[in-house]
Amino acid sequence: MKIRRSDRLIDMTNFLLDHPRELVALPFFVKRYGSAKSSISEDLVIIKRAFKAQGLGVVRTLPGAAGGVEYLPGISEPLARDFLELMAEKMADSNRLLPGGYLYLSDLLGTPNYLKIIGRLIAAQYSEEKVDAVMTVATKGIPIAQSTANYLGVPFVVARRDPKITEGATVSVNYVSGSSDRVQKMELSKRSLSDGANVVIVDDFMKGGGTIHGMHDLIKEFNAHLVGITVFAETAFSGKRAVQDYTSLLEVTEINTQTDQILVQPGNYLEKLQLITTAENAD
Amino acid sequence: MKIRRSDRLIDMTNFLLDHPRELVALPFFVKRYGSAKSSISEDLVIIKRAFKAQGLGVVRTLPGAAGGVEYLPGISEPLARDFLELMAEKMADSNRLLPGGYLYLSDLLGTPNYLKIIGRLIAAQYSEEKVDAVMTVATKGIPIAQSTANYLGVPFVVARRDPKITEGATVSVNYVSGSSDRVQKMELSKRSLSDGANVVIVDDFMKGGGTIHGMHDLIKEFNAHLVGITVFAETAFSGKRAVQDYTSLLEVTEINTQTDQILVQPGNYLEKLQLITTAENAD
């Protein structure tokens, strides 16, 4: 049965959104819709244009026998900036202040609409890299890992401080939590990562970077490769961080428990995004 | 600037997918595209048809001044059945068997493509109910809660057995873990749920139902209402379950550590789905 262009466009949009970073050969759509290859190619021109206008990433067609179409989720610089400024404003709400100078963030990191954009932002950074898995440590990093993995089209794995019987054999490392100077242990199921896997590390918060460093050590134990590190928020830290090369979406520059003041600004994400965009334009 | 129909269809598809269960007034699209209301109405007829053909839920238009269009994520019965049979087959792989008769499932529950369908399946059950939040308990239930919340367009909240300093004041309940008969405690941040909230409970596994019962008790402590309970998998349990009314996507009927045999079949989800569909047809 032949399918009309309008129905094809809607179905293809759905399909591409559901299969990020997956190269789909054109004959797949030719068969799916019973349409000519030339019609599918015209559809893709329209879809490319509409996705570009929305600023939600790039639809790319690769020519040749091994070619096809793929959707690389992303976000335009203005949308990214607006979102990070909104988050900074929400995080600076003094009602979030908890005893000890901690911030309550579970509402933000429990809102799917925010998590979707966080995932897009992080995935956009690695859109030209080979990625096989996203890694985080339980518990707060999980929603960020899930959303990032979703837009990268790969699985996510969760290291734990309190390994469960349902993980089977694990590999463990010790790490120093920078904020407390205490040596802790984190474990990851042996089945989680395959040899040589390319891994993106994400987490909710980074202070001294000790936890992130622990995850990096875990990756090494699995003979896997670190692709990059992105945290939702970094906080001011006096001293040398255990991790130097990372991206932060937000930066908490001050938490004053005397005046109940919290200062938050976009992290180094936007600078890094500009570097990526500039490099692309130079090609 | 006027926008062509094909571009409108792609943008509206994206928009509706990104805003599940949100009633969007037609003037919003009229303004967004600079198009006549009649054109938007025609677009929606096409979108309705295409979404229906894909079996991924219903696009519904409500007439009148307070009307508009909304997307209710769902899944067709054949797609649901195929997915549950695939999951049952994957779960029955004897390589998953861990000492003590536990099953390794982190790979399945760490795969975004599976989680998306799991979320759709669960959300579809509650498409006609008022839902304000999805609740689970850390850690394994989190990805299921996130995906379900995503398709219901609501936040998710996470109860914890080991409360963190970053949760602020909490409400706690004791519960008896059915499998171990041990009294444990779970806590939920006081800020998580508002008075009278309508809550869907989800979790990965249910044996005796004690953990689920604990979450139900927590909901009561918040003066919130239980909308329904869905677990990814239930296992055989000799004795009376602490929870009677629940939905399971899968049922592990036997784990034999002598013969390494695992028997898994679709849970009561498909029966419940038929009940819903039948009731709808009766209207």
Side-chain angles (χ1 to χ4, degrees), chain B residues 187-221:
Chain B
E187 311 200 3
L188 184 64
S189 169
K190 280 193 83 166
R191 305 179 187 217
S192 291
L193 286 178
S194 52
D195 216 64
N198 299 291
V199 183
V200 167
I201 290 177
V202 301
D203 207 357
D204 61 334
F205 240 81
M206 184 173 81
K207 205 167 180 181
T211 307
I212 302 274
H213 194 267
M215 282 194 263
H216 192 180
D217 282 346
L218 258 182
I219 285 178
K220 289 180 197 155
E221 289 296 329

Side-chain angles (χ1 to χ4, degrees), chain B:
Chain B
M1 193 193 71
K2 248 186 127 168
I3 291 182
R4 271 168 285 197
R5 160 148 297 152
S6 47
D7 293 68
R8 286 202 309 263
L9 290 174
I10 296 166
D11 187 77
M12 282 168 105
T13 299
N14 256 321
F15 188 91
L16 290 172
L17 290 174
D18 242 11
H19 297 80
R21 287 167 58 106
E22 201 176 291
L23 188 65
V24 186
L26 262 46
F28 171 83
F29 288 121
V30 168
K31 199 179 158 202
R32 187 173 172 103
Y33 306 128
S35 306
K37 201 169 169 180
S38 57
S39 305
I40 301 293
S41 294
E42 286 163 28
D43 294 347
L44 289 173
V45 171
I46 300 168
I47 287 182
K48 266 188 190 183
R49 183 178 65 212
F51 272 62
K52 194 176 175 189
Q54 285 166 49
L56 295 179
V58 175
V59 174
R60 183 159 68 179
T61 41
L62 301 175
V69 57
E70 62 180 351
Y71 167 52
L72 305 176
I75 194 158
S76 69
E77 204 267 350
L79 289 180
R81 189 174 295 278
D82 284 355
F83 176 73
L84 295 178
E85 280 166 6
L86 173 74
M87 281 297 109
E89 194 189 312
K90 285 191 176 285
M91 284 172 71
D93 180 347
S94 62
N95 288 323
R96 300 192 172 277
L97 206 52
L98 298 173
Y102 291 92
L103 292 185
Y104 181 78
L105 294 177
S106 297
D107 58 333
L108 301 180
L109 296 180
T111 301
N113 281 349
Y114 296 153
L115 286 166
K116 281 193 270 196
I117 303 179
I118 292 167
R120 275 186 185 282
L121 288 166
I122 301 178
Q125 279 209 297
Y126 308 112
S127 64
E128 299 297 335
E129 315 264 356
K130 190 163 167 18
V131 179
D132 300 302
V134 175
M135 179 196 240
T136 193
V137 64
T139 313
K140 304 256 183 196
I142 297 175
I144 297 170
Q146 178 169 351
S147 187
T148 304
N150 183 29
Y151 289 109
L152 288 172
V154 299
F156 61 94
V157 301
V158 181
R160 301 184 63 125
R161 296 178 181 93
D162 57 330
K164 287 270 197 172
I165 205 158
T166 49
E167 292 294 333
T170 61
V171 174
S172 77
V173 296
N174 294 321
Y175 68 101
V176 182
S177 170
S179 34
S180 67
D181 260 347
R182 203 153 49 93
V183 176
Q184 296 186 67
K185 193 176 211 168
M186 68 167 89
E187 311 200 3
L188 184 64
S189 169
K190 280 193 83 166
R191 305 179 187 217
S192 291
L193 286 178
S194 52
D195 216 64
N198 299 291
V199 183
V200 167
I201 290 177
V202 301
D203 207 357
D204 61 334
F205 240 81
M206 184 173 81
K207 205 167 180 181
T211 307
I212 302 274
H213 194 267
M215 282 194 263
H216 192 180
D217 282 346
L218 258 182
I219 285 178
K220 289 180 197 155
E221 289 296 329
F222 279 84
N223 288 319
H225 304 298
L226 175 66
V227 177
I229 298 163
T230 303
V231 296
F232 175 68
E234 62 173 312
T235 53
F237 181 68
S238 57
K240 191 170 152 60
R241 279 212 172 85
V243 170
Q244 302 304 321
D245 190 14
Y246 62 88
T247 304
S248 62
L249 302 188
L250 294 149
E251 186 180 354
V252 182
T253 52
E254 198 186 329
I255 298 179
N256 190 325
T257 49
Q258 306 290 312
T259 61
D260 276 8
Q261 200 174 43
I262 307 166
L263 295 178
V264 186
Q265 62 186 35
N268 64 13
Y269 180 83
L270 292 169
E271 293 160 37
K272 298 230 172 189
L273 195 71
Q274 275 169 347
L275 291 177
I276 293 172
T277 317
T278 314
E280 272 168 7
N281 290 343
D283 283 346

Side-chain angles (χ1 to χ4, degrees), chain A:
Chain A
M1 195 192 68
K2 246 187 132 167
I3 291 181
R4 272 168 284 199
R5 161 149 296 153
S6 46
D7 294 68
R8 286 201 309 263
L9 290 174
I10 296 166
D11 187 78
M12 282 168 104
T13 300
N14 256 324
F15 188 90
L16 291 172
L17 290 174
D18 242 12
H19 298 79
R21 288 167 58 107
E22 201 176 291
L23 189 65
V24 186
L26 263 46
F28 171 83
F29 288 120
V30 168
K31 201 179 157 199
R32 186 174 174 103
Y33 306 128
S35 306
K37 201 169 170 181
S38 57
S39 305
I40 301 293
S41 295
E42 286 164 29
D43 293 347
L44 288 172
V45 171
I46 300 169
I47 286 181
K48 266 188 189 181
R49 183 178 64 213
F51 272 62
K52 195 177 175 188
Q54 285 165 51
L56 295 180
V58 175
V59 174
R60 183 159 68 180
T61 41
L62 301 174
V69 57
E70 62 180 350
Y71 167 51
L72 305 176
I75 194 157
S76 68
E77 204 266 350
L79 289 180
R81 190 174 294 276
D82 285 354
F83 176 73
L84 294 178
E85 280 166 7
L86 172 74
M87 282 297 109
E89 194 190 312
K90 284 190 176 284
M91 282 172 71
D93 180 348
S94 62
N95 287 322
R96 299 192 173 279
L97 205 53
L98 298 173
Y102 292 93
L103 292 184
Y104 181 79
L105 294 177
S106 298
D107 57 334
L108 301 180
L109 296 180
T111 301
N113 281 350
Y114 296 152
L115 286 167
K116 280 192 272 197
I117 303 179
I118 292 167
R120 274 186 186 283
L121 288 166
I122 301 177
Q125 279 208 298
Y126 308 112
S127 64
E128 300 297 335
E129 314 264 356
K130 190 163 166 21
V131 179
D132 300 303
V134 176
M135 180 195 240
T136 192
V137 65
T139 312
K140 304 258 184 194
I142 297 175
I144 297 170
Q146 178 170 352
S147 186
T148 305
N150 184 30
Y151 289 109
L152 287 172
V154 299
F156 61 95
V157 301
V158 180
R160 302 184 62 126
R161 296 178 180 93
D162 58 330
K164 288 271 199 172
I165 206 160
T166 49
E167 292 295 333
T170 62
V171 173
S172 77
V173 295
N174 295 321
Y175 69 102
V176 182
S177 171
S179 33
S180 67
D181 260 348
R182 203 152 49 93
V183 177
Q184 298 185 65
K185 192 176 211 168
M186 68 167 89
E187 311 199 5
L188 183 65
S189 169
K190 279 191 84 164
R191 304 178 187 218
S192 290
L193 286 178
S194 52
D195 216 63
N198 299 291
V199 182
V200 167
I201 290 178
V202 301
D203 208 356
D204 61 335
F205 240 80
M206 184 173 81
K207 205 168 180 180
T211 308
I212 302 273
H213 195 266
M215 282 194 264
H216 192 178
D217 281 347
L218 258 182
I219 286 178
K220 289 180 199 156
E221 290 295 328
F222 279 85
N223 288 318
H225 304 298
L226 176 66
V227 177
I229 298 165
T230 303
V231 296
F232 174 69
E234 62 172 312
T235 53
F237 180 70
S238 57
K240 193 171 150 61
R241 280 212 170 86
V243 170
Q244 302 303 322
D245 189 14
Y246 62 88
T247 304
S248 61
L249 302 189
L250 294 149
E251 186 180 354
V252 182
T253 51
E254 199 187 330
I255 297 179
N256 190 325
T257 48
Q258 306 290 312
T259 60
D260 276 8
Q261 200 174 40
I262 308 165
L263 295 178
V264 186
Q265 62 185 34
N268 65 11
Y269 180 84
L270 291 169
E271 293 158 39
K272 297 229 173 189
L273 194 71
Q274 274 168 349
L275 291 177
I276 292 172
T277 316
T278 313
E280 272 167 8
N281 290 343
D283 284 347

